[in-house]
Amino acid sequence: MAEVILMPRLSDTMTEGVIAAWHKKVGDPVKKGDLLAEIETDKATMELESYKDGTLLHLGGDKGTKIQVDQLLAIVGKEGEDITSLLKGGNGDQKKDEKKKEMPEEKKSAEKTPARPVETAEKKSPGIDISKMEEVVLMPRLSDTMEEGVIAAWHKNIGDTVKKGDVLAEIETDKATMELESYKNGTLLYIGAQQGDKIPVNALLCIIGEKEKIDIDAIVSAAKSGVTTEQSPADKKEQAAPPAANPEQKQISSQQPITATVEKQSSVENGRIKASPLAKKLAAEKGIDIKTINGTGDGGRIIKSDIDNYKPGSTSKAAEAGGGLPRGVLAPAVVTGEEGYTDIPNSQIRTIIAKRLGESKFSAPHFYLTMEISMDNAVSARTQLNEVSPVKISFNDLVVKAAALALRQHPAVNASWMGDKIRRNHHIHIGIAVAIEDGLIVPVIRFADQKPLPQIAAESKELAGKAKNKKLQPNEFTGNTFTISNLGMMDIDEFTAIINPPDSCIMAVGRIKETVIRRNGSFEVSNVMKVTLSCDHRSVDGATGAAFLQTFKKYLENPVSMLL
C-alpha cells in the first residue's frame, strides 16, 4: 500500500522546510535508507532518507518549494498504484481518518502525524508504532551531522507540568549544546535517559501526556524493541521514577572516565577550572576554594556532589632524607609513584572531528603552498585603525578581510568538490577555526567580503565566545566556503592544516615575528608572517592557489587597498 511521507520536524524550532534538492524523481525505485531529498530548515540543510521500499509515485513540490511541517512531501508505493485518494487528502488527513475508523477509541488519541526519518521505522511492537504517538518525544536531529546526543541537563522532572515552548532539556550534539523545547502541553511521565547518557537520533527521549490515557509500559517496551540508549536493562527500569536524592545512590554515568588506578583526575585544564555552574555557585556560597577540590565528574569535572561531600584535608610534609652517608654518595630517592592511566571518553564534538577530518585527509589529495608576507604596513595600519574603530581590530580580522577580498578575485578557490562537478560559490563565507575544550569548531562570518573591518571584528569576538560556551546555533557554524586557522597567538611560526569540508582550501596562519632583512644595501628589522594554503587538488590547481596567495599578500602588504 502506498505511504505518504510528510515534511518532518528536523530542528526544534522548524515550522517549514525548503526543498534544496531531490535525489530521486517520480518513477525511481526507492529502498529503505536511500537519500530522498535535502531539506533546508531554519538552521541547516539536512538529508532526508526513505524509511520504506517501493517506487516514488509523487513529489509534494519542486526544488525551492516551501512545505509546512506535517504537509505532504512525497508518496512511495508500488509502481502503477492508484494514489488519487492520498492526493485528495493533501497532507495525509484522509488516510489517517480511514485508519481511525478501524482503531479502538482509546487508541485514536495516540496517533501522531509527523513522518520521521528512517531510524524510527524500526521502533515497533505488535499494535504500537511510537513514532506516530503525539505523547512520545524522540531525540531530534539538531545538526546536519548529528547521529546521537548526550543529555547535558533536564529542566523538567517526572510529574512536572509541561507547556508548549517550555525547555525540556539541554542536548549536547556533535557541534553545540542546544535547548530542546516541548511542542505540546501535558505532564512529563517518563524520561528515556539520565543526565550524561548518550541517546541515538529518533530514540525514545521522553513521554508527555495524561497518565490515565496512555500505557507507559507498552511504549517503553516498543522502544526497547528498536533503537535504545546505551544503558543496561537495570538502569532503564529505574528511569520511570525520579533520581534518588541520596548522592550515594546516584548512578554512574556512562560518560564517566574509566581509570586503571584509583587516582583522582585533575580538575584543572589549561589553567581553567572544570566545574559545573551549580558547583561553582555552591562553592562560592560555602566559602570553599574550588581549586582545592578534585572532581568526580566527566574528565575530572567538579559537580554538585563534590561540593556537598567536601571535607577540608590536610597537606603532609615530605620526610627529609637523613645524612650519615659518606661524602659524595647520594641517598637513594624514595619512590612512591604508581603506574596508571585514565581513559577519557570522546565527546560528541571530538568524535565527529575525528571522523570528518579523517575523511578529508584520506579522500582529498592535499597539496600545500607557503608564502612569506611583510606585515610592516599592516602593523602600522592596525594601530591607526584602532584609534578610530569602535571595536578593537585584530590581525586575524585583517587576515579574514584580505582573504575574503582575494576570494572575490579568485572564485576557483571559493569552491567545493561535489564528485561529478565543482561548485563555485558566489557568496563568500569565511570559517574561523576556534579551539574549545572538546576540540575544534568553525564559526562562520557570512558575506565577509562585504563587511567592514569593525563589523568583522565584532562578529569574530561574539562567535568565538559562543563557541567556547557551546552556545553556537547551527546557522552560525555551517555554510563556510573557505576556512582560516590561526595559531600565531601561540607562537607557531608555520604549520599545515587539514581541509575543512566542504571547502576546497584552508589557510594556516603563523605568528608575526621580527626578522633581519637586507633592503637597499642595508640591514633592517621587518615584521614577517608565514601562511600556508592547503588545497584540494581535485578542484584547485597549484597555479590557481598561488595566484590567490599573491592577491592575498597584496592586500596585507597594502592594507589601505582593503578600504577602497
Side-chain angles (χ1 to χ4, degrees):
M1 181 177 177
E3 179 139 354
V4 170
I5 297 177
L6 307 182
M7 175 64 77
R9 189 182 302 277
L10 296 174
S11 81
D12 51 337
T13 57
M14 176 180 172
T15 58
E16 64 182 11
V18 176
I19 307 298
W22 280 107
H23 288 261
K24 298 287 184 180
K25 59 181 182 294
V26 173
D28 284 354
V30 175
K31 293 183 179 180
K32 182 178 176 182
D34 280 358
L35 181 60
L36 282 179
E38 293 178 35
I39 308 296
E40 182 181 353
T41 73
D42 55 331
K43 295 182 177 178
T45 298
M46 307 170 112
E47 296 180 343
L48 180 70
E49 297 177 352
S50 173
Y51 53 82
K52 72 165 292 179
D53 299 334
T55 299
L56 187 57
L57 303 177
H58 178 77
L59 300 181
D62 296 328
K63 178 180 177 181
T65 302
K66 284 185 180 180
I67 299 180
Q68 298 292 315
V69 169
D70 299 339
Q71 294 299 307
L72 176 64
L73 180 63
I75 299 176
V76 176
K78 295 180 180 179
E79 187 175 359
E81 187 173 353
D82 183 9
I83 59 172
T84 305
S85 61
L86 296 179
L87 292 175
K88 287 181 179 178
N91 63 356
D93 290 339
Q94 179 176 340
K95 181 181 176 183
K96 291 187 296 177
D97 291 341
E98 292 174 357
K99 287 186 176 180
K100 285 184 178 180
K101 291 178 182 178
E102 303 171 0
M103 293 168 59
E105 196 64 28
E106 63 271 15
K107 295 289 184 179
K108 291 182 180 179
S109 63
E111 185 179 4
K112 187 176 181 180
T113 56
R116 297 186 183 266
V118 62
E119 293 91 338
T120 60
E122 300 298 327
K123 296 191 186 81
K124 294 182 179 180
S125 69
I128 297 180
D129 181 353
I130 67 171
S131 68
K132 295 183 178 179
M133 300 182 67
E134 68 176 64
E135 291 86 359
V136 171
V137 178
L138 305 180
M139 173 63 79
R141 191 184 301 276
L142 298 176
S143 82
D144 53 341
T145 56
M146 176 180 172
E147 295 178 357
E148 61 185 6
V150 175
I151 307 300
W154 280 103
H155 288 260
K156 296 289 184 179
N157 297 316
I158 291 175
D160 285 355
T161 299
V162 177
K163 294 182 179 179
K164 184 177 180 181
D166 284 356
V167 176
L168 286 175
E170 292 179 30
I171 308 295
E172 180 187 348
T173 73
D174 54 328
K175 293 182 177 177
T177 299
M178 304 173 69
E179 293 181 343
L180 179 68
E181 297 180 357
S182 173
Y183 52 82
K184 69 161 293 173
N185 300 323
T187 301
L188 184 58
L189 304 175
Y190 176 86
I191 57 176
Q194 299 295 332
Q195 180 176 334
D197 288 337
K198 288 183 180 179
I199 179 169
V201 168
N202 294 322
L204 177 61
L205 184 61
C206 63
I207 300 174
I208 300 173
E210 298 179 37
K211 190 173 182 180
E212 300 77 15
K213 294 185 178 181
I214 60 173
D215 188 341
I216 297 176
D217 292 337
I219 295 174
V220 174
S221 177
K224 288 180 180 179
S225 66
V227 181
T228 57
T229 60
E230 295 183 1
Q231 296 173 284
S232 67
D235 293 335
K236 295 178 181 177
K237 285 184 179 179
E238 297 180 6
Q239 287 177 351
N246 186 353
E248 297 294 329
Q249 298 174 349
K250 184 176 180 181
Q251 295 179 352
I252 299 175
S253 166
S254 61
Q255 291 291 294
Q256 182 137 352
I258 304 167
T259 56
T261 63
V262 191
E263 61 184 22
K264 293 182 179 179
Q265 300 183 60
S266 173
S267 297
V268 181
E269 188 174 276
N270 297 327
R272 293 181 295 175
I273 302 296
K274 295 186 293 183
S276 69
L278 180 58
K280 291 179 180 178
K281 180 181 178 182
L282 291 175
E285 291 175 352
K286 295 183 178 182
I288 299 173
D289 183 358
I290 201 166
K291 295 180 182 178
T292 64
I293 298 177
N294 288 307
T296 60
D298 186 8
R301 190 167 183 260
I302 300 170
I303 56 179
K304 177 180 180 295
S305 61
D306 297 323
I307 306 298
D308 294 338
N309 300 328
Y310 172 74
K311 295 179 181 179
S314 59
T315 56
S316 59
K317 296 182 179 181
E320 298 180 359
L325 293 174
R327 185 173 183 178
V329 178
L330 295 176
V334 179
V335 179
T336 59
E338 182 180 3
E339 290 186 354
Y341 60 85
T342 300
D343 290 336
I344 308 298
N346 289 331
S347 66
Q348 296 295 97
I349 293 177
R350 177 69 65 183
T351 299
I352 297 301
I353 289 173
K355 180 181 178 182
R356 295 191 70 211
L357 293 187
E359 291 173 351
S360 172
K361 182 65 175 177
F362 297 114
S363 65
H366 287 52
F367 72 89
Y368 309 96
L369 301 170
T370 300
M371 180 173 281
E372 196 170 78
I373 300 172
S374 172
M375 295 293 286
D376 290 334
N377 290 337
V379 170
S380 175
R382 176 175 175 264
T383 301
Q384 296 177 52
L385 286 169
N386 280 331
E387 290 178 356
V388 295
S389 173
V391 181
K392 185 176 181 180
I393 297 170
S394 69
F395 286 112
N396 198 63
D397 299 327
L398 294 173
V399 169
V400 170
K401 182 67 173 180
L405 293 175
L407 287 171
R408 186 190 291 175
Q409 297 184 38
H410 301 275
V413 177
N414 193 47
S416 301
W417 176 257
M418 305 299 291
D420 59 341
K421 58 183 175 288
I422 296 173
R423 175 173 295 167
R424 290 189 178 180
N425 299 295
H426 299 161
H427 55 278
I428 297 173
H429 294 347
I430 304 292
I432 303 174
V434 175
I436 59 176
E437 183 178 346
D438 292 329
L440 195 72
I441 196 165
V442 183
V444 178
I445 296 180
R446 298 177 180 275
F447 306 104
D449 59 318
Q450 302 175 33
K451 294 178 178 177
L453 280 165
Q455 187 174 351
I456 290 175
E459 286 189 24
S460 296
K461 184 177 180 181
E462 180 184 5
L463 291 172
K466 284 186 175 182
K468 290 178 180 177
N469 294 320
K470 294 185 177 181
K471 296 299 182 183
L472 285 175
Q473 295 301 307
N475 64 306
E476 294 174 321
F477 56 71
T478 57
N480 46 286
T481 62
F482 184 90
T483 301
I484 293 171
S485 180
N486 192 337
L487 291 178
M489 69 290 294
M490 303 181 77
D491 290 336
I492 300 299
D493 289 337
E494 62 178 303
F495 67 103
T496 58
I498 299 174
I499 295 170
N500 178 37
D503 300 350
S504 286
C505 297
I506 183 171
M507 180 185 290
V509 181
R511 69 176 176 132
I512 300 173
K513 66 175 182 177
E514 293 183 340
T515 303
V516 177
I517 63 171
R518 184 183 176 93
R519 182 180 295 167
N520 299 326
S522 62
F523 293 94
E524 59 184 70
V525 176
S526 177
N527 293 289
V528 174
M529 180 181 76
K530 287 184 178 181
V531 298
T532 299
L533 186 68
S534 303
C535 304
D536 184 344
H537 216 325
R538 298 173 299 181
S539 50
V540 177
D541 296 327
T544 303
F548 164 80
L549 283 180
Q550 287 178 330
T551 304
F552 173 75
K553 179 179 181 178
K554 179 191 72 174
Y555 280 120
L556 277 184
E557 291 188 343
N558 299 280
V560 69
S561 62
M562 291 191 282
L563 306 177
L564 299 177

